[in-house]
Amino acid sequence: MPESRRGVLYGIAAYMMWGLFPLYWPLLKPAGAVEILAHRMVWSLVAVLAILGVRRHWSWIRSITRRQLLLLTLAAVVISTNWGMYIYAVNTGHVVESALGYFINPLVSVLLGVVVFRERLRPWQWAAVGLGALAVLVLAFDYGRLPWIALVLAASFGTYGLVKKAAQVDATESLTIETLVLLVPALGYLVVLQTNGSGTFVDHGTAHIALLVGAGLITAIPLLCFSAAAIRVPLTVVGLLQYIAPVLQFMCGVLIAHETMPGSRWVGFAIVWLALCVFTWDGLRTAHAARREARTAPTLEAV
């Protein structure tokens, strides 16, 4: 199977799993968001170390450069911020707002390209960004505040993808480093919780223990898939695939969690979806034109 097609399949798997996470996090109550996040770090590391042990693949450690280590440390901090906010959003009844964050993430990724790489946007891309900004204003009016959960989720995950692309480290190895650099603070926090009696790990039965341990595995798998996709396909393709997750999250929020959706909120989301349609159409149009130009170039050179 070609690497690009494999990358697309990895991306679809990652975003489908992420989209269904709102069904899992409520099962971990009464654990709080930070406790769940700490368990995710610890048990994700156990999972990836087991994978590396089965593969007997340790030689990569010597090939990691200082630059890659710094980038992956930054990635660890950023994705932990993202996960912590996501868990908090789901467990406090903000599933729809978390979906909004992942809907606007492609637009944030475009803005990061402008700020970090000095990329120039095409007119239709600017139109999509402008519509996204308008949607945020409409939703801020609806919520009575900025949709800060959505903005933090979008900015942190967009930054994570950018850093992972720059690091160019394979999926399992990358996740190993990301979880390893945060192991000590995560373990320390869990020890403090259990010592002062506010931890939930051992006080709510074996099912609760299994679910907390499982948080590491079920979050490691989509991150491995995402990492595998990010180094195999262009960011534009990853950007298209990532719509899968917020669609599923939105459906979970509206149909399962029964979160309130007043008319003004529907208007805000409709503007976001219009922005994404414009953004996607422009990307597909530009890619098609580039392929057509590539096909005709040899003919013109021959002439």
Side-chain angles (χ1 to χ4, degrees):
M1 180 185 296
E3 285 296 296
S4 59
R5 183 176 298 176
R6 184 175 298 174
V8 170
L9 292 177
Y10 279 130
I12 291 173
Y15 287 116
M16 286 191 68
M17 285 184 277
W18 275 325
L20 295 174
F21 274 170
L23 304 179
Y24 189 84
W25 301 129
L27 301 177
L28 302 182
K29 293 178 179 179
V34 180
E35 183 182 1
I36 295 171
L37 180 62
H39 277 289
R40 189 205 74 81
M41 294 174 189
V42 172
W43 300 114
S44 290
L45 178 61
V46 173
V48 294
L49 288 177
I51 293 171
L52 290 172
V54 170
R55 292 168 54 190
R56 297 183 179 180
H57 179 49
W58 304 104
S59 58
W60 61 272
I61 297 174
R62 294 190 296 271
S63 65
I64 295 294
T65 66
R66 176 177 291 185
R67 176 180 177 274
Q68 288 174 320
L69 182 60
L70 290 174
L71 285 171
L72 291 177
T73 300
L74 175 60
V77 174
V78 171
I79 197 60
S80 295
T81 301
N82 181 270
W83 275 115
M85 184 59 67
Y86 184 35
I87 296 167
Y88 167 81
V90 171
N91 282 357
T92 55
H94 295 88
V95 177
V96 170
E97 189 175 348
S98 72
L100 173 65
Y102 293 109
F103 273 126
I104 65 176
N105 182 52
L107 305 178
V108 171
S109 296
V110 167
L111 289 177
L112 286 173
V114 172
V115 174
V116 177
F117 298 119
R118 304 297 180 185
E119 296 177 358
R120 300 185 64 180
L121 298 187
R122 297 181 296 273
W124 284 110
Q125 288 178 312
W126 277 118
V129 171
L131 285 170
L134 175 62
V136 169
L137 291 176
V138 171
L139 289 167
F141 177 80
D142 172 73
Y143 284 112
R145 57 171 175 81
L146 277 176
W148 60 272
I149 292 175
L151 294 175
V152 171
L153 287 172
S156 57
F157 199 75
T159 303
Y160 180 70
L162 191 71
V163 174
K164 294 282 280 191
K165 191 75 173 177
Q168 285 293 302
V169 178
D170 285 342
T172 309
E173 295 87 334
S174 173
L175 186 55
T176 301
I177 294 175
E178 290 175 43
T179 51
L180 187 60
V181 297
L182 294 175
L183 176 64
V184 172
L187 274 176
Y189 180 76
L190 291 175
V191 168
V192 170
L193 283 184
Q194 290 303 136
T195 301
N196 64 24
S198 56
T200 67
F201 187 62
V202 297
D203 300 325
H204 296 273
T206 55
H208 186 68
I209 293 174
L211 287 169
L212 284 173
V213 172
L217 181 62
I218 71 160
T219 56
I221 292 173
L223 277 174
L224 289 172
C225 292
F226 174 76
S227 298
I231 63 176
R232 286 175 170 84
V233 298
L235 282 178
T236 52
V237 176
V238 175
L240 291 174
L241 293 176
Q242 69 186 5
Y243 296 154
I244 296 171
V247 167
L248 292 175
Q249 291 165 9
F250 183 81
M251 292 173 66
C252 286
V254 174
L255 301 178
I256 297 176
H258 302 293
E259 292 187 14
T260 303
M261 283 292 293
S264 55
R265 198 164 301 172
W266 279 109
V267 171
F269 270 86
I271 297 173
V272 169
W273 295 329
L274 176 60
L276 294 178
C277 288
V278 171
F279 180 75
T280 303
W281 170 79
D282 179 71
L284 294 175
R285 180 181 62 89
T286 303
H288 177 72
R291 288 195 298 269
R292 184 173 56 190
E293 184 177 341
R295 286 197 300 267
T296 58
T299 304
L300 294 176
E301 290 177 2
V303 174

